[in-house]
Amino acid sequence: MATGSDRIAVEVCKGVNGLDKVVLREARGRSVEVYLYGAHVTSWKNDNGEELLFLSNKAIFKPPKAIRGGIPICFPQFASHGSLEQHGFARNRLWSIDNDPPPFPVVSTSRTFIDLILRPTEDDLKIWPHSFEFRLRVALGPGGDLMLTSRIRNTNTDGKPFSFTFAYHTYFSVSDISEVRVEGLETLDYLDNLQNKERFTEQGDAITFESEFDKIYLSTPTKIAILDHEKKQTFVLRKDGLPDAVVWNPWDKKAKAMPDFGDDEYKHMLCVEAAAVEKPITLKPGEEWKGRLELSAVPSSYCSGQLDPRRVLGS
Ligand code: BG6
């Protein structure tokens, strides 16, 4: 079955275990796959049909387990910052296709997109007593960029505001974690999840990885880069409405403890998550919040041991 304005570019079909998924296709090998289960993007491919996101070989595609890899949506709670289950419930609910979403103020540059919606069930209201509409647009840009726009509206009729934390928990595929560096977070304050969420300040150098890493960077710039030396590829994240950035790699010990993650897979993934964690977002009834993430993969400026951050972050 095809849907949307372009019947070839947007296809609804069955994925693993018969779960519904939507495939977006653009010129050449570019594509994106998103499951209705969790509104979970599981695949993003470039011109050559190469996968850019990490998805575990042991990922479990069975509710209520969240899919390990891709882009889980953390809402209404990031991690254990509250009384709900880890990372909230949006990532393990069945979303619907939204055929008639309210218009966006700015006309989209992409014709290849799908709109999904999540509203709370009676059971959800028992654990989080707030009525909301969460609309997610997943779009594949003409240049192969992956664009995610979340619009969350308070539809409470009891006059009550609600607060939430949020993250696009993106798992990037990398050639070798020890060859990767993240730029754009130097000198920022962060909360270290491995040290009781204590606050520290990052030193001047780009971030590299040689052991377990789990930090929430605060008040981050709108642009962050992940440089993969071996692949000579750079991921650029552009974000809006999402001040924080979580950087996570479980490393070997934690990898072994996760049943849906291969023992050595930590070497080939890195999570850099555009997020709103430190200061929860509060919405009054009728108010809407918007959080946007744009991902692109570009050839790296890395050349014989020299990186020029200005070329990576300046454009
Ligand atoms: C990260 C957190 O965002 O998600 C980590 O900072 C956590 O602390 C990781 O371990 C994975 O969480 P989960 O629930 O998907 O296993």
Side-chain angles (χ1 to χ4, degrees):
M1 175 192 156
T3 185
S5 56
D6 190 331
R7 296 180 71 79
I8 299 157
V10 183
E11 186 192 0
V12 183
C13 54
K14 295 286 175 199
V16 181
N17 289 340
L19 293 173
D20 287 324
K21 71 175 179 183
V22 181
V23 183
L24 309 177
R25 289 193 185 84
E26 260 290 344
R28 294 177 248 181
R30 296 168 192 158
S31 66
V32 167
E33 293 190 10
V34 54
Y35 276 72
L36 297 196
Y37 176 56
H40 198 128
V41 174
T42 53
S43 168
W44 170 39
K45 289 183 180 163
N46 67 9
D47 277 3
N48 308 320
E50 288 159 0
E51 183 58 57
L52 300 169
L53 296 178
F54 166 84
L55 179 67
S56 172
N57 285 327
K58 294 172 86 179
I60 297 165
F61 285 73
K62 200 169 173 222
K65 188 81 188 136
I67 300 164
R68 176 71 63 196
I71 313 183
I73 302 276
C74 304
F75 170 83
Q77 175 185 301
F78 175 75
S80 55
H81 294 242
S83 57
L84 298 176
E85 63 194 275
Q86 160 96 346
H87 289 323
F89 53 77
R91 64 177 180 162
N92 58 16
R93 292 294 185 272
L94 202 55
W95 292 54
S96 308
I97 292 175
D98 188 5
N99 285 314
D100 192 19
F104 283 80
V106 180
V107 180
S108 170
T109 52
S110 166
R111 288 193 324 132
T112 312
F113 59 82
I114 188 78
D115 287 293
L116 303 177
I117 184 161
L118 181 71
R119 292 191 181 93
T121 62
E122 290 297 316
D123 284 345
D124 294 337
L125 289 168
K126 284 180 197 147
I127 55 165
W128 201 64
H130 302 294
S131 185
F132 65 87
E133 283 174 351
F134 185 157
R135 290 191 162 81
L136 175 72
R137 172 167 290 188
V138 180
L140 181 57
D145 294 359
L146 169 57
M147 296 172 288
L148 300 172
T149 309
S150 288
R151 296 186 287 174
I152 297 172
R153 179 176 289 279
N154 181 335
T155 52
N156 271 338
T157 50
D158 58 7
K160 289 198 179 132
F162 64 66
S163 299
F164 63 89
T165 47
F166 179 95
Y168 291 113
H169 194 309
T170 311
Y171 288 74
F172 293 94
S173 170
V174 298
S175 54
D176 175 355
I177 187 66
S178 53
E179 295 291 320
V180 165
R181 54 192 261 170
V182 176
E183 293 185 351
L185 304 175
E186 311 80 65
T187 73
L188 297 181
D189 279 7
Y190 63 89
L191 309 179
D192 194 339
N193 281 328
L194 303 178
Q195 297 192 64
N196 300 317
K197 301 191 179 79
E198 245 188 272
R199 194 177 180 120
F200 299 94
T201 303
E202 196 60 71
Q203 300 310 306
D205 294 335
I207 291 150
T208 53
F209 302 90
E210 49 198 26
S211 59
E212 186 183 356
F213 202 99
D214 194 352
K215 297 178 181 177
I216 304 168
Y217 290 89
L218 308 173
S219 305
T220 59
T222 54
K223 206 164 162 189
I224 298 169
I226 304 168
L227 290 83
D228 187 331
H229 295 191
E230 206 169 295
K231 264 194 197 157
K232 295 190 170 52
Q233 174 181 269
T234 298
F235 290 110
V236 180
L237 290 78
R238 291 182 181 81
K239 57 188 180 58
D240 188 33
L242 297 158
D244 305 322
V246 184
V247 181
W248 178 62
N249 184 292
W251 221 255
D252 55 347
K253 216 164 126 220
K254 212 157 256 179
K256 287 200 177 84
M258 290 193 285
D260 58 346
F261 192 86
D263 289 359
D264 286 329
E265 285 185 328
Y266 73 94
K267 293 175 184 164
H268 307 296
M269 55 73 67
L270 177 67
C271 286
V272 178
E273 313 163 30
V277 177
E278 192 200 20
K279 296 184 186 117
I281 312 286
T282 299
L283 292 177
K284 292 191 197 118
E287 279 184 342
E288 185 177 86
W289 168 86
K290 200 157 110 184
R292 221 179 119 69
L293 174 65
E294 219 176 288
L295 303 177
S296 44
V298 295
S300 197
S301 57
Y302 178 68
C303 176
S304 61
Q306 287 300 308
L307 277 167
D308 183 352
R310 280 164 307 175
R311 281 187 63 192
V312 174
L313 288 174
S315 62

